[in-house]
Amino acid sequence: MSTSAVERLKTALSGRYHIESELGEGGMATVYLADDVKHERKVALKVLKPEVAAVVGAGTAGETHGLGTSIRPARTS
């Protein structure tokens, strides 16, 4: 994901999630490690690429916040 896209994502999720780092990127999405400010926990934030979100529709699984995102609690070992 480009720097400007990450900045737009951070702005859109400001006050709710704080993105720490990118965990990985695939053909359909990028996954970030983020802090859920409200619930004080780590989450995995999956952001669909715009062309994928347009085809499958954002909001198909998990808690969604537009931008083709899906939020899940992060698992720790």
Side-chain angles (χ1 to χ4, degrees):
M1 186 173 275
S2 70
T3 303
S4 63
V6 172
E7 291 306 315
R8 287 195 320 267
L9 180 63
K10 286 181 178 181
T11 299
L13 299 176
S14 176
R16 182 77 195 266
Y17 299 97
H18 174 347
I19 297 174
E20 289 187 12
S21 63
E22 182 178 311
L23 295 176
E25 182 174 9
M28 295 176 50
T30 303
V31 179
Y32 298 92
L33 176 63
D35 284 316
D36 180 336
V37 175
K38 181 178 179 181
H39 298 104
E40 298 180 350
R41 63 183 178 180
K42 301 281 187 204
V43 295
L45 174 78
K46 184 176 188 178
V47 182
L48 295 177
K49 292 184 177 180
E51 59 274 15
V52 175
V55 172
V56 299
T60 57
E63 179 182 357
T64 61
H65 298 278
L67 298 173
T69 61
S70 177
I71 314 297
R72 301 271 188 195
R75 295 183 186 189
T76 56
S77 300

